[in-house]
């Protein structure tokens, strides 16, 4: 039987130990406002005004009914907004961006942070208006000052990157903390990473753990992966939490996180965090390899050679060895195996590898 935990320790401790000392936040949604401009009609804009905190009449700030509550996004931070504002969000969700802008702008000018964030998103993406990151930054800033956690998160990313706003890591950190404490799950993951990097050792993990847990519960795969590593590797973790490590890793793997898929395959084969399941381990390894994870490609070759979780197949083993070697991962034992194949088997392995595209 083979055991790979030591060989993959860099992967297993990726989130816990490898974050740099400065605040380098990760836009976990996969986009940070740098999308290409959309070819959409331009809306004639009213002159914008710098807003004061939103203090509209009770009829505007009353709670929505239950049907509208169900439509709230995970990043809405539970801001109490009225029916008119939900019409703007509904229009946005249906792709009616000009209507969304027309409905949201008057409320944004009054200081409604949710409407301000919506307008910032429209400008950042170029939806319904010409893309303008200057206007996006302005409205994110207004919404952030008025307490919108989603805007605080987006502005923190922009201030960290420095491309569309003057770089300000100090304010970026403050905004990320406020957003995390306000319940934004993406900010919670980023702020947790920051705490780990600022406070190396058990103290940092202890402080970061509630933010990782909250973000994981809200479905952030990066946080689910990080939590699985903390639960299985840290000493001062209750057995109740340790028993949840594999569950969190499965959630991250199912969300498409290829490093989680690799680690889950290893855990299933080695029996980490639960019983061994060779067939499931092989399948997760295959999925990670197909997504381009080089370590998974290398390990998949070994699984085919040793017939772990699958039927032994020298052609497939040769194919995945070639793919991983081309990516720069040297493995003398696999090279010896490949050189032991017949000329026909090497040819078929090479042809199969040439069909792979990543």
């Amino acid at each position: 039987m083979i055991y790979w935990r030591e060989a993959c320790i860099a992967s297993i401790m990726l989130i816990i130990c490898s974050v740099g000392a400065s605040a380098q936040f990760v836009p976990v949604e996969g986009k940070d406002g740098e999308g290409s401009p959309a070819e959409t009609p331009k809306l004639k804009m009213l002159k914008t005004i710098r807003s004061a905190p939103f203090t509209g009449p009770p009829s505007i700030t009353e709670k929505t009914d239950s049907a509208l509550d169900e439509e709230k996004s995970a990043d809405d931070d539970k801001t109490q907004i009225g029916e008119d504002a939900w019409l703007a969000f509904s229009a946005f969700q249906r792709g009616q961006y000009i209507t969304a802008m027309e409905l949201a702008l008057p409320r944004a000018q009054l200081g409604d942070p949710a409407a301000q964030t919506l307008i910032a998103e429209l400008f950042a993406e170029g939806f319904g208006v010409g893309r303008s990151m200057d206007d996006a930054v302005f409205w994110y800033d207004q919404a952030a000052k008025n307490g919108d956690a989603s805007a605080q998160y987006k502005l923190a990313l922009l201030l960290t990157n420095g491309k569309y706003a003057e770089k300000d890591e100090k304010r970026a950190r403050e905004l990320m903390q406020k957003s995390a404490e306000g319940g934004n799950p993406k900010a919670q993951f980023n702020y947790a990473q920051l705490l780990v990097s600022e406070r190396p050792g058990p103290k940092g993990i202890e402080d970061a753990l509630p933010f990782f847990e909250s973000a994981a519960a809200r479905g952030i795969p990066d946080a689910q992966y990080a939590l699985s590593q903390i639960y299985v590797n840290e000493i001062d973790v209750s057995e109740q939490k340790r028993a949840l490590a594999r569950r969190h890793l499965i959630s991250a793997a199912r969300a498409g996180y290829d490093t989680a898929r690799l680690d889950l395959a290893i855990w299933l084969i080695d029996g980490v965090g639960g019983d061994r399941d060779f067939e499931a381990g092989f399948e997760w390894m295959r999925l990670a390899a197909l997504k381009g994870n080089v370590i998974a490609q290398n390990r998949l070759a070994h699984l085919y050679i040793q017939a772990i979780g699958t039927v032994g197949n020298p052609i497939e083993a040769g194919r995945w060895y070639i793919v991983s070697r081309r990516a720069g991962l040297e493995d003398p034992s696999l090279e010896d195996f490949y050189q032991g194949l017949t000329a026909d088997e090497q040819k078929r392995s090479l042809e199969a590898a040439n069909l792979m595209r990543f």
Side-chain angles (χ1 to χ4, degrees):
M1 187 56 57
I2 54 177
Y3 296 87
W4 294 330
R5 290 189 68 196
E6 292 77 12
C8 295
I9 191 66
S11 172
I12 291 177
M13 300 304 292
L14 176 66
I15 299 296
I16 302 174
C17 299
S18 68
V19 183
S22 61
Q24 296 298 320
F25 300 121
V26 181
V28 294
E29 78 278 12
K31 198 169 187 179
D32 63 355
E34 297 188 16
S36 59
E39 293 296 329
T40 52
K42 290 188 177 181
L43 175 69
K44 184 177 180 181
M45 295 295 298
L46 301 176
K47 184 178 179 181
T48 59
I49 57 173
R50 296 189 177 274
S51 61
F54 185 51
T55 55
S59 61
I60 294 179
T61 57
E62 63 186 8
K63 292 184 179 179
T64 59
D65 59 33
S66 58
L68 289 171
D69 283 339
E70 292 177 359
E71 296 178 2
K72 275 186 159 186
S73 69
D75 289 339
D76 185 34
D77 308 310
K78 300 181 180 179
T79 304
Q80 293 184 351
I81 61 178
E83 183 175 355
D84 290 344
W86 280 117
L87 291 175
F89 282 102
S90 297
F92 178 86
Q93 291 169 352
R94 293 193 302 271
Q96 299 172 352
Y97 302 124
I98 293 178
T99 299
M101 178 68 81
E102 290 173 338
L103 290 170
L105 184 58
R107 299 184 60 82
Q109 291 175 321
L110 288 173
D112 182 341
Q116 291 169 337
T117 301
L118 177 57
I119 289 178
E121 290 289 309
L122 291 169
F123 276 121
E125 301 295 342
F127 290 156
V129 292
R131 184 171 186 259
S132 170
M133 289 308 297
D134 286 342
D135 284 313
V137 170
F138 169 79
W139 286 110
Y140 279 136
D141 182 62
Q142 295 297 295
K145 289 175 179 175
N146 288 333
D148 187 276
S150 180
Q152 290 166 343
Y153 167 71
K154 293 292 183 70
L155 186 57
L157 294 179
L158 292 168
L159 292 173
T160 300
N161 181 273
K163 182 176 181 180
Y164 297 112
E166 185 176 353
K167 194 167 186 177
D168 187 341
E169 292 189 357
K170 180 180 179 181
R171 189 182 177 210
R173 188 199 186 286
E174 293 171 352
L175 287 168
M176 194 64 74
Q177 179 177 353
K178 288 180 180 179
S179 182
E181 292 172 347
N184 184 289
K186 299 167 189 175
Q188 289 171 336
F189 168 71
N190 279 273
Y191 185 59
Q193 286 195 111
L194 181 58
L195 290 174
V196 170
S197 70
E198 289 180 340
R199 308 166 191 175
K203 176 59 177 174
I205 293 177
E206 179 184 353
D207 293 342
L209 192 56
F211 293 101
F212 276 133
E213 290 174 332
S214 181
R218 299 281 292 279
I220 302 298
D222 309 63
Q224 293 165 341
Y225 175 76
L227 204 56
S228 72
Q229 310 311 307
I230 292 172
Y231 281 174
V232 81
N233 288 291
E234 285 302 303
I235 297 175
D236 296 327
V237 172
S238 69
E239 289 305 313
Q240 183 179 11
K241 286 187 175 182
R242 202 177 300 279
L244 298 175
R246 185 183 283 189
R247 182 184 300 178
H248 285 294
L249 189 58
I250 289 172
S251 295
R254 286 176 174 169
Y257 198 139
D258 69 293
T259 304
R261 289 176 172 180
L262 168 65
D263 281 7
L264 180 56
I266 294 170
W267 285 23
L268 289 165
I269 292 169
D270 285 355
V272 178
D275 297 332
R276 286 187 170 92
D277 187 334
F278 298 124
E279 292 183 1
F282 169 83
E283 184 59 23
W284 282 113
M285 192 71 76
R286 188 182 70 86
L287 290 174
L290 288 170
K291 290 287 285 185
N293 187 293
V294 179
I295 296 176
Q297 292 166 351
N298 174 277
R299 298 302 184 231
L300 189 60
H302 283 282
L303 293 180
Y304 274 119
I305 292 171
Q306 300 186 36
I308 296 176
T310 188
V311 176
N313 189 324
I315 307 302
E316 283 298 297
R319 167 166 66 165
W320 287 108
Y321 165 58
I322 292 170
V323 170
S324 65
R325 184 183 63 187
R326 285 174 174 172
L329 182 55
E330 300 291 336
D331 187 328
S333 65
L334 285 182
E335 177 64 21
D336 289 343
F337 161 79
Y338 184 72
Q339 293 302 325
L341 295 177
T342 66
D344 180 66
E345 288 173 331
Q346 288 184 359
K347 178 182 177 182
R348 291 166 61 190
S349 295
L350 182 60
E351 290 174 344
N354 288 339
L355 295 175
M356 303 301 295
R357 296 290 183 271
F358 300 101

